[in-house]
Amino acid sequence: MNNIPTISRSPGLYIHIPICKTRCRYCNFYSRSGVTAELTGTLIECICKEIESARWEPNTIDTIYLGGGTPSVLDPVHLKSILDSVRKRFIVLEPAEITLEANPGDLDSSILQTWLNMGINRVSLGVQSLDDAALRLLGRRHHTEQALTAMAHLARISKEKSEFSWSADVIMGIPNQSQRVYESSLERILTFNPPHLSCYQLTFESGTPLMKTLNRGLIDQLDEETEAIFFSRTQSLLAEHGYWQYEVSNYCSGIDSHSHHNAKYWDHVPYLGIGPSAHSFDGVRRWWIVSDIREYCRRIIEDGEAVEEVELIDSRTMYNERIMLGLRTAWGIDRSMIDASIQPDILNVIKAGLIRATDDRLIPTPLGMAVADSIAGLLIARTYDQEISTRSSC
Amino acid sequence: MKNIRNFSIIAHIDHGKSTLSDRLIQATGMVSEKEFHDQLLDSMDIEQERGITIKSNTICLPYTARDGQSYMLNLIDTPGHVDFSYEVSRALASCEGVLLLIDASQGVEAQTLANLYAALEHNLEIIPVINKIDLPSANVDETLVQIDRELGLDIDRTIMCSAKTGQGVDEILEAIVRLIPPPHGNPDGELAALVFDANYDSYRGAIISCRIVDGTVRAGDIIRLMALDAFHKVEEVGKFGLTRLKTSSLSAGEVGYLIAGIKTVSDTRIGDTITQHKKPCAAPLPGFREVKSVVFSSIYPIDADDFPSFADALERYKLNDASVTFQRDSSVALGQGYRCGFLGLLHLEVFQERLEREYDQSIIMTSPSVLYKFTLKSGIELSVDNPHYYPDPSTIETAMEPYIKASILIPERYMGAVMNLCISRRGENSRFNYPTPGRLEVLFDMPLGEVIFDFYDRLKSITQGYGSFDYDLIGYRVSDLVKLDILVNGEKVDALSVIVHRDRARERGVHICDRLQEEIPRQMFKIAIQGAIGGKIISRSTVSAMRKDVLAKCYGGDITRKRKLLEKQAKGKKKMKMIGSVMIPQKAFVAVLKARDE
């Protein structure tokens, strides 16, 4: 499949729920555990207030993504009040994609039904692995059995309701985990026929407990060669099962079962981010909210907003981002935006079998996706070089 | 004139010349203990770090001897390295005697011998001084035996000293007065003054250091620099104290400075003779020669955008050091630069360090080369110091390269290792001297081109620091030379080409390919690195392709962070050089110059 999926130009809405029951050892997203019921209440009120008072044009949105953190730990009442606020402030175009990120430990058939009833039509399930040793090392609070049960529920609903979709998150390259154990986890997940899969290479982020374990020499990081094998095995295994790799870490079973919300990030479609640490982009600027629940609440209550920083996305920045993001996706980059001066570099990359050219686009090959950052780095650097030499020869 | 003494201190590197100079300055009361800074004369950072003197400084020490008379002791400092042997010879020509300084723990070394021969050539009075006698490792008896047998000097005149503690310094001052003869010359004769150094003052131009052999010079005189045939009006003359001390005149036998509106030191020549325009001396003083560069290298700014500031720094550098030659050069890989000529490898290193530290330049230098001579079948003769100009091999009748006589002084136990090293560097015609039991002087005829590539470091390493080395150029010999090119993915990297002997080409090729393999980061495609002579590949290495380089997650919150990282890396890549489709970091060009760590 080489078609470009339909990426709507309507904005998306992201809501960050920075609350977890326990923190996973590899995670560096902003989230807190042990948040009191009182603070949670205030936070939800503030999120609702931020949504309702958001200065944002236009009023129409067609995706809502509740991420975190762990939004599945929220009391359904809280979830409902958030979605009510959204509908109060925005016109939610149908069919909208409304995703909730969920921990397998939080999902049972009754709560799933509650979520469906409030309009949630997509669940992104943090399976990560079906190997309890690996789950412990990652500091996940759920067990394999819980993940299997949760997937069974999701698969059932998926069968019953065609408008419902779900995704499983999988982590590859977990220390001490063999290629074989990883692949059998993946194959077992595939027996539930998830319409969508996100397969992430485990990364060691600074400041995380996992990084400390690494630094103490208790675990090893995969070498590049092994990482490459994990990556390419995932590519071929999922291809065999009919999945389409439409982004470096994302696979879908049909042309329309991709994450409509996430695709907006990679195609510079505007998105509004609500909640602590959330990022927004309106086509010209990108800004983000403070990464601190209390500070966030204080500012929302006092000022009605809690922006930490704004950056202007000028044409050069936009160019760099288009290259960086486009090379991560199956639809690649628009040929017409590429500076003619770097054509020889592009030809070299094509010759190396890392990208291929169609009449109007440059598209990464499966091998190219594995080194997308290197390709982007080269093209960005070469554009700078060419500009400098043009400048100095003038 | 009978109360003037002109002398130098000559020593092997690190035998304590600068410390002794400072002690003499202190002992004659020119500076108080409080003002006394260690190593007053070696003011440049690099000199202090390496313990060598690059630019010499001269000072006049007023001294009241035990005989009750006042003397002017002119200490003429000399550069302490073999590369500067011509400068040393001109400084010695300005003296009547020398202190030959020997480290009591190191004994006589190769340069001690070379210095001694230079002093004997000028018929100088030689006072042996054994330094560092306070060290636990000092072996005074052995050193005395060496002075007697190896140097053939009178051990009864030898003075024991510790420049560090000051012990023996008074005896040295007395010996200078007693043993070194006063200068002679006719103050009323025609002016003949020997230029032995020149320094640059940003307000006053070149400050010439000279020894007046005959005659007298005063401010207002019109002088002629004989070798350059240039005329100048003298603005000021004087003597060297801790600062310049203006005097009304300089006369025969005296050492001092002369300022004559000469813009830069490049407008002077070491060894030149100064005379009066109106009443010139009959002939210039003997011994002058034009200094010739023996080692060449191209230098480029790391960032091609910095060329203007780089060129400006070189202009300023030239004001101070006339012995480096410059010619515009350019490379496909490295852009605009200069081809520079140096007196030797140390001179090159000092140049590089000074440019980086004092002139704040980041530079790349190419592999040093010597000056090769080619006779073509057409009869044309070519001198080539840059591999870029290596002639078409099919047109070459004969090729020649410069040879040196290498003198290496070692404890006997290192003989095997040193022989192997010299032979591996195409040394031939070996001879041996046994100056004293257990010690060996190894003499080899060697190509200079083999010595400029890491020879000295290797020698130091295989002799655990005990080996010392000195050389003289002995002329050109016919040689089987080839040009070794380096190709990266089939593209020739001009800045990495070298001219080498055919027998050594493979080894050099392997070395360069291995070094580049270590330094070139993996890229998106496989990189083939090859060493080639003409069309024939003689060495190769491969940098395998990058297999995995992509961030796993890139959502709303990751985009800015990731883009900034890529932009930062892209700016870093700007410092890399593109050869075809391959990015080569600057440090790869530096790494090929370094020897393997063995």
Side-chain angles (χ1 to χ4, degrees), chain A residues 124-353:
Chain A
S124 173
L125 188 72
V127 178
Q128 317 309 2
S129 176
L130 294 180
D131 167 19
D132 280 328
L135 292 174
R136 272 195 303 277
L137 191 117
L138 296 174
R140 297 289 303 183
R141 66 176 149 94
H142 77 275
H143 306 294
T144 300
E145 278 311 314
Q146 289 171 303
L148 293 171
T149 313
M151 284 192 286
H153 290 311
L154 293 169
R156 180 173 47 79
I157 302 293
S158 198
K159 229 182 228 171
E160 290 166 15
K161 296 180 193 280
S162 65
E163 69 275 19
F164 180 78
S165 187
W166 65 284
S167 173
D169 278 5
V170 185
I171 293 179
M172 65 175 106
I174 300 168
N176 309 329
Q177 191 182 60
S178 67
Q179 182 74 40
R180 195 182 52 75
V181 172
Y182 164 71
E183 283 182 28
S184 70
S185 257
L186 192 55
E187 279 170 335
R188 212 166 158 200
I189 292 168
L190 292 176
T191 62
F192 295 94
N193 292 315
H196 188 279
L197 277 157
S198 297
C199 300
Y200 299 113
Q201 178 73 50
L202 179 66
T203 50
F204 293 84
E205 304 290 347
S206 64
T208 59
L210 194 70
M211 185 63 141
K212 282 177 199 134
T213 314
L214 178 76
N215 288 340
R216 261 188 257 127
L218 301 174
I219 47 171
D220 288 325
Q221 202 166 1
L222 261 52
D223 58 43
E224 188 197 314
E225 190 59 33
T226 317
E227 263 192 28
I229 292 169
F230 269 97
F231 190 78
S232 69
R233 281 295 299 152
T234 306
Q235 285 176 321
S236 46
L237 199 112
L238 291 180
E240 282 164 29
H241 283 78
Y243 285 86
W244 179 44
Q245 183 180 24
Y246 70 97
E247 197 258 358
V248 167
S249 302
N250 287 283
Y251 298 81
C252 59
S253 64
I255 184 87
D256 205 39
S257 48
H258 64 283
S259 165
H260 291 70
H261 181 81
N262 288 339
K264 295 184 196 294
Y265 296 132
W266 306 318
D267 220 37
H268 283 116
V269 179
Y271 46 88
L272 174 64
I274 298 289
S277 84
H279 281 59
S280 301
F281 172 68
D282 67 1
V284 187
R285 287 163 302 177
R286 188 173 288 118
W287 65 91
W288 49 97
I289 308 297
V290 291
S291 295
D292 184 294
I293 297 177
R294 288 179 192 280
E295 174 69 5
Y296 168 78
C297 293
R298 187 189 64 75
R299 286 189 51 188
I300 291 293
I301 292 162
E302 288 173 17
D303 315 329
E305 59 90 20
V307 175
E308 176 171 296
E309 212 177 312
V310 183
E311 70 167 345
L312 198 67
I313 308 298
D314 58 14
S315 60
R316 157 33 48 94
T317 308
M318 188 64 114
Y319 174 89
N320 289 350
E321 288 191 359
R322 279 195 197 285
I323 286 180
M324 172 183 100
L325 296 170
L327 286 169
R328 297 179 63 87
T329 65
W331 50 92
I333 38 187
D334 187 342
R335 272 175 62 171
S336 66
M337 66 157 283
I338 291 292
D339 202 304
S341 64
I342 62 166
Q343 251 168 25
D345 298 295
I346 304 242
L347 285 173
N348 280 320
V349 182
I350 291 174
K351 225 181 342 176

Side-chain angles (χ1 to χ4, degrees), chain A residues 28-29 200-201 203 205 224-225 227-228 231 248-250 262 265-266 271 279 286 288 311 313 317 320-321 324-325 328 345 348-349 352 354 369-378 380-382 384-385 388, chain B residues 303-305 489 491 522-526 544-583:
Chain A
N28 74 333
F29 290 131
Y200 299 113
Q201 178 73 50
T203 50
E205 304 290 347
E224 188 197 314
E225 190 59 33
E227 263 192 28
F231 190 78
V248 167
S249 302
N250 287 283
N262 288 339
Y265 296 132
W266 306 318
Y271 46 88
H279 281 59
R286 188 173 288 118
W288 49 97
E311 70 167 345
I313 308 298
T317 308
N320 289 350
E321 288 191 359
M324 172 183 100
L325 296 170
R328 297 179 63 87
D345 298 295
N348 280 320
V349 182
L354 302 174
M369 274 204 188
V371 292
D373 288 351
S374 284
I375 307 176
L378 173 79
I380 292 171
R382 294 297 286 152
Y384 282 137
D385 277 358
I388 285 154
Chain B
D303 192 334
D305 294 355
N489 272 2
E491 300 254 357
R522 294 206 296 158
Q523 290 163 39
M524 284 165 295
F525 14 75
K526 193 164 95 175
S544 58
M546 173 80 80
R547 295 275 322 269
K548 180 80 184 353
D549 177 30
V550 67
L551 188 74
K553 292 189 177 190
C554 198
Y555 299 106
D558 307 303
I559 295 170
T560 294
R561 186 166 58 113
K562 181 63 196 170
R563 188 200 70 238
K564 285 185 175 162
L565 193 67
L566 274 182
E567 286 170 347
K568 198 175 144 208
Q569 285 167 351
K571 282 177 185 136
K573 283 185 181 127
K574 227 182 71 179
K575 294 229 186 284
M576 298 213 205
K577 295 295 175 187
M578 284 301 285
I579 304 295
S581 57
V582 180
M583 290 190 172

Side-chain angles (χ1 to χ4, degrees), chain B residues 120-160:
Chain B
L120 290 172
E121 236 172 77
H122 292 94
N123 290 316
L124 302 183
E125 201 60 45
I126 296 162
I127 304 171
V129 176
I130 300 182
N131 190 22
K132 306 195 190 179
I133 56 169
D134 58 307
L135 288 183
S137 58
N139 190 342
V140 175
D141 292 343
E142 174 62 28
T143 308
L144 280 169
V145 171
Q146 289 174 1
I147 289 172
D148 179 27
R149 298 212 195 143
E150 294 185 30
L151 307 181
L153 294 175
D154 187 352
I155 55 170
D156 295 334
R157 296 172 85 169
T158 303
I159 300 168
M160 305 297 155

